[in-house]
Amino acid sequence: MAKVFLLLFGLGGIAWGFFAVYATKFLAARMGLELTGDDGLIEFYGLNAGLWPGVGVLALASAAVPRMRITAVVTIFVCLAGTVVGRVIAMLHGAEPGLYTYLALSVEIAGVLFAAIAYGSEKRETTLKAKAKAAAQHRTVQESSTSEG
């Protein structure tokens, strides 16, 4: 489950970065942003063409390395949950959400839920493998002590 989540998030994060680079004005307009200065453009690219694709690369790399999966899932969970909280804070301060915000919140909340499920699934799988390994080692020790006796 974690591997699937990481693959999907990884591809989505990288795709988002390309979309932000090649459809900057379109995306900024849907977000309600006016990129009137260099600082605004740098901020836009830093988050949309930098952070999210970077986390996407982390997700893809972690999908390939089982011992990195839990850490990557938790990282993505925190990033998505933080984004949701930030949007809610803006709304509590009087911001009126539009279609983009509702769509973004939907995707982010679904991502948080999927990450939580993936975490639980990966944690359970890791625990079962560790127990099976410990049981096999215990049997090996018992067999070797029985054969010696």
PDB file of all heavy atoms in Angstrom, residues 57-75:
ATOM      1  N   VAL A  57      10.106  13.310  -5.961  1.00  0.00           N
ATOM      2  CA  VAL A  57      11.324  12.508  -6.190  1.00  0.00           C
ATOM      3  C   VAL A  57      11.642  11.669  -4.952  1.00  0.00           C
ATOM      4  O   VAL A  57      11.990  10.490  -5.065  1.00  0.00           O
ATOM      5  CB  VAL A  57      12.512  13.421  -6.579  1.00  0.00           C
ATOM      6  CG1 VAL A  57      13.822  12.654  -6.565  1.00  0.00           C
ATOM      7  CG2 VAL A  57      12.266  14.050  -7.947  1.00  0.00           C
ATOM      8  N   LEU A  58      11.507  12.261  -3.773  1.00  0.00           N
ATOM      9  CA  LEU A  58      11.693  11.511  -2.527  1.00  0.00           C
ATOM     10  C   LEU A  58      10.729  10.330  -2.476  1.00  0.00           C
ATOM     11  O   LEU A  58      11.119   9.214  -2.120  1.00  0.00           O
ATOM     12  CB  LEU A  58      11.469  12.414  -1.311  1.00  0.00           C
ATOM     13  CG  LEU A  58      11.386  11.700   0.043  1.00  0.00           C
ATOM     14  CD1 LEU A  58      12.754  11.182   0.466  1.00  0.00           C
ATOM     15  CD2 LEU A  58      10.809  12.616   1.097  1.00  0.00           C
ATOM     16  N   ALA A  59       9.479  10.564  -2.862  1.00  0.00           N
ATOM     17  CA  ALA A  59       8.478   9.497  -2.838  1.00  0.00           C
ATOM     18  C   ALA A  59       8.848   8.364  -3.792  1.00  0.00           C
ATOM     19  O   ALA A  59       8.769   7.188  -3.431  1.00  0.00           O
ATOM     20  CB  ALA A  59       7.102  10.066  -3.194  1.00  0.00           C
ATOM     21  N   LEU A  60       9.262   8.712  -5.010  1.00  0.00           N
ATOM     22  CA  LEU A  60       9.643   7.674  -5.976  1.00  0.00           C
ATOM     23  C   LEU A  60      10.858   6.885  -5.498  1.00  0.00           C
ATOM     24  O   LEU A  60      10.885   5.653  -5.597  1.00  0.00           O
ATOM     25  CB  LEU A  60       9.921   8.293  -7.343  1.00  0.00           C
ATOM     26  CG  LEU A  60       8.709   8.823  -8.111  1.00  0.00           C
ATOM     27  CD1 LEU A  60       9.151   9.427  -9.431  1.00  0.00           C
ATOM     28  CD2 LEU A  60       7.683   7.723  -8.333  1.00  0.00           C
ATOM     29  N   ALA A  61      11.852   7.583  -4.980  1.00  0.00           N
ATOM     30  CA  ALA A  61      13.044   6.902  -4.480  1.00  0.00           C
ATOM     31  C   ALA A  61      12.686   5.992  -3.308  1.00  0.00           C
ATOM     32  O   ALA A  61      13.183   4.864  -3.203  1.00  0.00           O
ATOM     33  CB  ALA A  61      14.102   7.922  -4.060  1.00  0.00           C
ATOM     34  N   SER A  62      11.811   6.457  -2.447  1.00  0.00           N
ATOM     35  CA  SER A  62      11.422   5.678  -1.266  1.00  0.00           C
ATOM     36  C   SER A  62      10.570   4.476  -1.634  1.00  0.00           C
ATOM     37  O   SER A  62      10.596   3.465  -0.933  1.00  0.00           O
ATOM     38  CB  SER A  62      10.668   6.563  -0.279  1.00  0.00           C
ATOM     39  OG  SER A  62      11.509   7.609   0.157  1.00  0.00           O
ATOM     40  N   ALA A  63       9.820   4.571  -2.718  1.00  0.00           N
ATOM     41  CA  ALA A  63       9.029   3.424  -3.161  1.00  0.00           C
ATOM     42  C   ALA A  63       9.939   2.260  -3.521  1.00  0.00           C
ATOM     43  O   ALA A  63       9.577   1.097  -3.350  1.00  0.00           O
ATOM     44  CB  ALA A  63       8.161   3.815  -4.355  1.00  0.00           C
ATOM     45  N   ALA A  64      11.139   2.581  -3.997  1.00  0.00           N
ATOM     46  CA  ALA A  64      12.091   1.546  -4.413  1.00  0.00           C
ATOM     47  C   ALA A  64      12.906   0.976  -3.249  1.00  0.00           C
ATOM     48  O   ALA A  64      13.510  -0.082  -3.388  1.00  0.00           O
ATOM     49  CB  ALA A  64      13.038   2.118  -5.463  1.00  0.00           C
ATOM     50  N   VAL A  65      12.918   1.672  -2.114  1.00  0.00           N
ATOM     51  CA  VAL A  65      13.733   1.234  -0.964  1.00  0.00           C
ATOM     52  C   VAL A  65      12.802   1.023   0.234  1.00  0.00           C
ATOM     53  O   VAL A  65      12.401   1.987   0.894  1.00  0.00           O
ATOM     54  CB  VAL A  65      14.821   2.283  -0.629  1.00  0.00           C
ATOM     55  CG1 VAL A  65      15.682   1.807   0.525  1.00  0.00           C
ATOM     56  CG2 VAL A  65      15.660   2.609  -1.856  1.00  0.00           C
ATOM     57  N   PRO A  66      12.449  -0.223   0.516  1.00  0.00           N
ATOM     58  CA  PRO A  66      11.456  -0.504   1.563  1.00  0.00           C
ATOM     59  C   PRO A  66      11.725   0.156   2.912  1.00  0.00           C
ATOM     60  O   PRO A  66      10.800   0.649   3.552  1.00  0.00           O
ATOM     61  CB  PRO A  66      11.491  -2.031   1.691  1.00  0.00           C
ATOM     62  CG  PRO A  66      11.907  -2.495   0.337  1.00  0.00           C
ATOM     63  CD  PRO A  66      12.898  -1.456  -0.145  1.00  0.00           C
ATOM     64  N   ARG A  67      12.972   0.223   3.362  1.00  0.00           N
ATOM     65  CA  ARG A  67      13.228   0.786   4.698  1.00  0.00           C
ATOM     66  C   ARG A  67      13.021   2.298   4.746  1.00  0.00           C
ATOM     67  O   ARG A  67      12.998   2.881   5.822  1.00  0.00           O
ATOM     68  CB  ARG A  67      14.622   0.416   5.173  1.00  0.00           C
ATOM     69  CG  ARG A  67      15.696   1.013   4.335  1.00  0.00           C
ATOM     70  CD  ARG A  67      17.072   0.691   4.830  1.00  0.00           C
ATOM     71  NE  ARG A  67      17.951   1.394   3.918  1.00  0.00           N
ATOM     72  CZ  ARG A  67      19.114   0.999   3.525  1.00  0.00           C
ATOM     73  NH1 ARG A  67      19.601  -0.098   3.995  1.00  0.00           N
ATOM     74  NH2 ARG A  67      19.822   1.683   2.693  1.00  0.00           N
ATOM     75  N   MET A  68      12.895   2.947   3.586  1.00  0.00           N
ATOM     76  CA  MET A  68      12.644   4.400   3.541  1.00  0.00           C
ATOM     77  C   MET A  68      11.167   4.744   3.457  1.00  0.00           C
ATOM     78  O   MET A  68      10.789   5.900   3.611  1.00  0.00           O
ATOM     79  CB  MET A  68      13.358   5.021   2.329  1.00  0.00           C
ATOM     80  CG  MET A  68      14.858   5.049   2.436  1.00  0.00           C
ATOM     81  SD  MET A  68      15.654   5.729   0.957  1.00  0.00           S
ATOM     82  CE  MET A  68      14.890   7.334   0.801  1.00  0.00           C
ATOM     83  N   ARG A  69      10.319   3.757   3.225  1.00  0.00           N
ATOM     84  CA  ARG A  69       8.909   4.020   2.941  1.00  0.00           C
ATOM     85  C   ARG A  69       8.179   4.707   4.077  1.00  0.00           C
ATOM     86  O   ARG A  69       7.450   5.677   3.855  1.00  0.00           O
ATOM     87  CB  ARG A  69       8.202   2.732   2.543  1.00  0.00           C
ATOM     88  CG  ARG A  69       8.622   2.245   1.188  1.00  0.00           C
ATOM     89  CD  ARG A  69       7.864   1.011   0.770  1.00  0.00           C
ATOM     90  NE  ARG A  69       8.475   0.499  -0.447  1.00  0.00           N
ATOM     91  CZ  ARG A  69       8.443  -0.761  -0.805  1.00  0.00           C
ATOM     92  NH1 ARG A  69       7.810  -1.656  -0.063  1.00  0.00           N
ATOM     93  NH2 ARG A  69       9.034  -1.146  -1.913  1.00  0.00           N
ATOM     94  N   ILE A  70       8.337   4.223   5.287  1.00  0.00           N
ATOM     95  CA  ILE A  70       7.590   4.808   6.405  1.00  0.00           C
ATOM     96  C   ILE A  70       7.981   6.270   6.596  1.00  0.00           C
ATOM     97  O   ILE A  70       7.121   7.129   6.774  1.00  0.00           O
ATOM     98  CB  ILE A  70       7.789   3.983   7.697  1.00  0.00           C
ATOM     99  CG1 ILE A  70       7.037   2.657   7.565  1.00  0.00           C
ATOM    100  CG2 ILE A  70       7.321   4.757   8.925  1.00  0.00           C
ATOM    101  CD1 ILE A  70       7.186   1.726   8.742  1.00  0.00           C
ATOM    102  N   THR A  71       9.263   6.561   6.540  1.00  0.00           N
ATOM    103  CA  THR A  71       9.713   7.942   6.706  1.00  0.00           C
ATOM    104  C   THR A  71       9.150   8.841   5.614  1.00  0.00           C
ATOM    105  O   THR A  71       8.698   9.959   5.884  1.00  0.00           O
ATOM    106  CB  THR A  71      11.256   8.003   6.699  1.00  0.00           C
ATOM    107  OG1 THR A  71      11.748   7.156   7.740  1.00  0.00           O
ATOM    108  CG2 THR A  71      11.757   9.407   6.901  1.00  0.00           C
ATOM    109  N   ALA A  72       9.159   8.369   4.380  1.00  0.00           N
ATOM    110  CA  ALA A  72       8.628   9.167   3.273  1.00  0.00           C
ATOM    111  C   ALA A  72       7.129   9.395   3.424  1.00  0.00           C
ATOM    112  O   ALA A  72       6.633  10.503   3.189  1.00  0.00           O
ATOM    113  CB  ALA A  72       8.932   8.489   1.942  1.00  0.00           C
ATOM    114  N   VAL A  73       6.407   8.351   3.818  1.00  0.00           N
ATOM    115  CA  VAL A  73       4.956   8.486   3.998  1.00  0.00           C
ATOM    116  C   VAL A  73       4.657   9.506   5.091  1.00  0.00           C
ATOM    117  O   VAL A  73       3.772  10.361   4.932  1.00  0.00           O
ATOM    118  CB  VAL A  73       4.301   7.117   4.298  1.00  0.00           C
ATOM    119  CG1 VAL A  73       2.872   7.285   4.771  1.00  0.00           C
ATOM    120  CG2 VAL A  73       4.352   6.220   3.067  1.00  0.00           C
ATOM    121  N   VAL A  74       5.388   9.455   6.198  1.00  0.00           N
ATOM    122  CA  VAL A  74       5.177  10.413   7.290  1.00  0.00           C
ATOM    123  C   VAL A  74       5.516  11.831   6.817  1.00  0.00           C
ATOM    124  O   VAL A  74       4.787  12.785   7.120  1.00  0.00           O
ATOM    125  CB  VAL A  74       5.999  10.026   8.540  1.00  0.00           C
ATOM    126  CG1 VAL A  74       5.986  11.133   9.578  1.00  0.00           C
ATOM    127  CG2 VAL A  74       5.471   8.736   9.129  1.00  0.00           C
ATOM    128  N   THR A  75       6.592  11.988   6.063  1.00  0.00           N
ATOM    129  CA  THR A  75       6.977  13.306   5.533  1.00  0.00           C
ATOM    130  C   THR A  75       5.870  13.879   4.661  1.00  0.00           C
ATOM    131  O   THR A  75       5.493  15.053   4.809  1.00  0.00           O
ATOM    132  CB  THR A  75       8.287  13.196   4.729  1.00  0.00           C
ATOM    133  OG1 THR A  75       9.322  12.718   5.589  1.00  0.00           O
ATOM    134  CG2 THR A  75       8.684  14.533   4.133  1.00  0.00           C
TER     135      THR A  75
END
